[in-house]
Amino acid sequence: MAFRKPPDGGWGWVIVVVSFFTQFLCYGSPLAVGVLYVEWLDAFGEGKGKTAWVGSLANGIGLLASPVCSICVSSFGARPVAIFSGFMVAGGLMMSSFAPNIYFLYISYGVVVGLGCGLLYTATVTITCQYFDKRRGLALGLISTGSSVGLFIYAALQRELIELYGLDGCLLIVGALSLNILACGSLMRPLESCHSSPPEKTCGEKVADQYFIYHEKEKTVEENISILEKGYIDEKCANHVPDCKQDSILNKNILSSINVSEKDTYKKKVVEQTNFCKQLAKRKWQLYLTYWKETVVLFKNKVFSALFVAILLFDIGGFPPSLLMEDVARSANVNEDDYYMPLISIIGIMTAVGKLILGILADFKWVNTLYLYVTTLLMTGVALFAIPFAKSYLTLAMLSGILGFLTGNWSIFPYVTTKTVGIEKLTHAYGILMFFAGLGNSLGPPIVGWFYDWTQEYDTAFYFSGFCVLLGGFLLLLAALPCWNACTNQSPKLPPNTYSYKVASSA
């Protein structure tokens, strides 16, 4: 099937709506896992660091497995992957209601739900990009708010369900709600033209066909050799060798029926196939070498190297508040009667606002997106340092809103990556950065939890988190300063297709 030109509308808006609800349904519970985290602490009596692994795995494993998710969507299509992943998310949530210990939750909630969310994210982004070209930024921005709205609603919903039905009942109901992903996935109609001619095969496929499709006479020879290997007789050979009982006699008689020219043809074909396999293996090896060489070239770009460190440290330090803020309030002895809204809900709604506002700012020509991103990192670090001084619901709510807004810098991260490495290397660079972002998501909450287990208070933990984010922000700022670029202008030239931030931003 050949893909039609993206319509930038029509059924594409249906795709946007169902993708929005897909991210809403799949990411609602994992992003609002802080409500469940408090309940799991009481239910299993494990340490905060060990319990925090559940939520961190659910949010990080999808990013860690992003290459696998991309391969699945490319191989099977967005619709089948979305439907299959809907079963994974719903099944994982329902299985978690029967968890006998925290280790069971690592698999059911952390791995199964997390991997399902990663597959769904890749499927929704892929199908949306296929339907939109000129309005792709708007479409992706709309569907990305689904996860933030899910965080806002699921934080209050899960709290209410726990009060009414308990933790197990809450997970069962949330898992049942996730089954609506199946309906959303069924509407992800692939953008294909049923009446178009088949796409022209690539050169590699044509070469492969030349070695595996032969004339009728050569097929007979291959069939005879196949008989030698498998040990059975077809109708043609049976007429010459009746009632054969031993493989050795059968092989001799069949070989004798093959004339010399056919043997030469077969030998020639074997040699050609062997050479083809060698060339194919050599090409694959060259592709791997090229990939790693390009990766080395990317890290020679000082801004990309600093961006890699910054995103890793940002996720280690900046992600834990969305998971642990409810327990922070409980540790600060905040009166539950003062709760007007769950702190995680505030983070969720402000994250959506931050994504929209920061995305709009990034479109202005006078705004340097790299400096804008650095500003959000530095402000996040300062806000994290302020958490230990917040002892009331009002101050915690204000800090939650600020952190949520600044976390919306995810919407401008692709802009920053593009400006850093150039559009030609965006896919390669973004995949590397997302892997380490997932690593940071997975490590951040357990590290903060271990600090609490060690010191029995969150102050040291959030000082550490703020230090990580500030360090990443200052390193990125230092690498992006124009004076630093001027000092390094006399250094050896970068290899072809490598971009400094200055060059890429002017392109």
Side-chain angles (χ1 to χ4, degrees):
M1 298 292 181
F3 287 107
R4 298 196 302 265
K5 183 180 179 181
D8 280 299
W11 191 261
W13 294 119
V14 177
I15 297 296
V16 169
V17 172
V18 298
S19 297
F20 172 89
F21 280 105
T22 296
Q23 292 202 17
F24 170 86
L25 292 167
C26 74
Y27 277 106
S29 181
L31 289 178
V33 72
V35 177
L36 304 175
Y37 169 77
V38 177
E39 301 297 326
W40 285 330
L41 284 174
D42 297 335
F44 300 113
E46 299 286 353
K48 295 182 185 294
K50 185 181 292 186
T51 307
W53 270 111
V54 181
S56 62
L57 283 174
N59 287 278
I61 200 167
L63 293 174
L64 289 172
S66 55
V68 177
C69 297
S70 298
I71 292 173
C72 291
V73 174
S74 300
S75 302
F76 304 105
R79 180 192 285 178
V81 169
I83 294 174
F84 175 77
S85 302
F87 281 112
M88 287 186 65
V89 173
L93 290 169
M94 292 180 180
M95 284 192 301
S96 298
S97 66
F98 303 100
N101 51 55
I102 200 70
Y103 303 103
F104 187 91
L105 285 174
Y106 289 163
I107 304 300
S108 62
Y109 198 98
V111 177
V112 177
V113 176
L115 186 57
C117 290
L119 288 168
L120 285 168
Y121 177 81
T122 306
T124 53
V125 170
T126 301
I127 193 70
T128 303
C129 290
Q130 290 176 0
Y131 271 86
F132 288 89
D133 184 15
K134 296 179 181 179
R135 300 178 179 177
R136 183 174 295 169
L138 173 62
L140 291 175
L142 290 173
I143 69 171
S144 67
T145 58
S147 57
S148 300
V149 175
L151 169 58
F152 171 71
I153 293 179
Y154 268 74
L157 176 63
Q158 291 185 146
R159 179 187 292 274
E160 189 68 23
L161 290 175
I162 289 172
E163 292 180 359
L164 294 175
Y165 305 105
L167 177 61
D168 297 343
C170 170
L171 290 170
L172 283 173
I173 294 173
V174 171
L177 288 175
S178 299
L179 289 173
N180 288 286
I181 296 173
L182 306 181
C184 295
S186 64
L187 295 174
M188 293 181 184
R189 187 172 64 194
L191 185 65
E192 294 179 344
S193 177
C194 298
H195 303 288
S196 60
S197 58
E200 186 179 356
K201 293 184 177 181
T202 62
C203 296
E205 292 173 336
K206 290 180 179 180
V207 172
D209 290 343
Q210 292 176 1
Y211 290 105
F212 293 104
I213 300 178
Y214 303 95
H215 296 294
E216 194 65 29
K217 183 177 181 180
E218 292 179 337
K219 285 183 180 180
T220 304
V221 177
E222 190 172 13
E223 289 171 358
N224 290 337
I225 300 304
S226 178
I227 293 171
L228 290 175
E229 296 174 349
K230 296 181 180 179
Y232 67 88
I233 305 173
D234 62 5
E235 294 181 359
K236 179 178 178 180
C237 297
N239 294 330
H240 298 283
V241 190
D243 300 327
C244 291
K245 295 182 179 179
Q246 297 181 357
D247 290 341
S248 59
I249 300 176
L250 171 64
N251 294 343
K252 291 180 181 179
N253 284 298
I254 294 176
L255 284 173
S256 63
S257 66
I258 302 176
N259 56 45
V260 177
S261 61
E262 289 177 334
K263 290 181 179 179
D264 293 339
T265 302
Y266 172 72
K267 291 179 180 179
K268 182 179 179 182
K269 183 173 63 178
V270 169
V271 172
E272 291 175 346
Q273 288 181 343
T274 303
N275 291 334
F276 171 75
C277 292
K278 290 180 179 178
Q279 292 296 325
L280 185 62
K282 185 177 180 180
R283 288 182 181 180
K284 290 291 185 182
W285 179 248
Q286 289 296 331
L287 287 176
Y288 289 125
L289 288 179
T290 302
Y291 177 84
W292 289 110
K293 287 179 180 178
E294 290 180 354
T295 302
V296 172
V297 168
L298 283 175
F299 279 99
K300 288 183 178 179
N301 184 338
K302 61 182 180 301
V303 179
F304 176 82
S305 298
L307 190 62
F308 145 73
V309 175
I311 190 64
L312 176 62
L313 293 177
F314 172 73
D315 279 279
I316 289 177
F319 176 66
S322 63
L323 176 62
L324 304 174
M325 192 60 79
E326 296 293 327
D327 192 52
V328 171
R330 188 171 71 167
S331 300
N333 297 319
V334 175
N335 190 352
E336 293 186 0
D337 295 335
D338 296 335
Y339 268 68
Y340 301 102
M341 183 185 297
L343 296 175
I344 298 180
S345 294
I346 297 175
I347 294 176
I349 195 64
M350 290 305 296
T351 300
V353 174
K355 286 180 179 178
L356 293 176
I357 293 179
L358 293 174
I360 292 172
L361 287 175
D363 285 332
F364 290 110
K365 294 182 179 180
W366 52 269
V367 174
N368 188 311
T369 52
L370 181 58
Y371 292 153
L372 177 62
Y373 184 75
V374 170
T375 302
T376 61
L377 295 183
L378 298 179
M379 293 178 65
T380 300
V382 174
L384 289 170
F385 272 115
I387 290 179
F389 300 97
K391 301 300 180 181
S392 66
Y393 173 81
L394 180 60
T395 54
L396 286 173
M398 292 176 60
L399 288 174
S400 297
I402 293 172
L403 288 170
F405 180 87
L406 297 173
T407 305
N409 62 7
W410 275 101
S411 65
I412 64 174
F413 190 73
Y415 286 80
V416 176
T417 308
T418 304
K419 294 291 186 179
T420 303
V421 301
I423 191 64
E424 294 83 359
K425 295 183 179 296
L426 174 62
T427 303
H428 186 180
Y430 199 71
I432 295 173
L433 294 173
M434 286 300 97
F435 176 84
F436 286 100
L439 185 63
N441 274 349
S442 300
L443 295 178
I447 290 175
V448 172
W450 289 330
F451 269 108
Y452 184 93
D453 294 336
W454 178 37
T455 62
Q456 294 303 309
E457 43 87 16
Y458 275 116
D459 295 357
T460 306
F462 282 104
Y463 290 147
F464 169 79
S465 297
F467 173 77
C468 287
V469 178
L470 284 176
L471 178 61
F474 277 121
L475 288 176
L476 185 57
L477 177 63
L478 180 64
L481 286 176
C483 61
W484 180 259
N485 288 328
C487 293
T488 56
N489 279 341
Q490 297 179 354
S491 60
K493 292 184 178 180
L494 294 173
N497 297 328
T498 306
Y499 302 88
S500 67
Y501 178 77
K502 183 177 180 181
V503 174
S505 61
S506 63

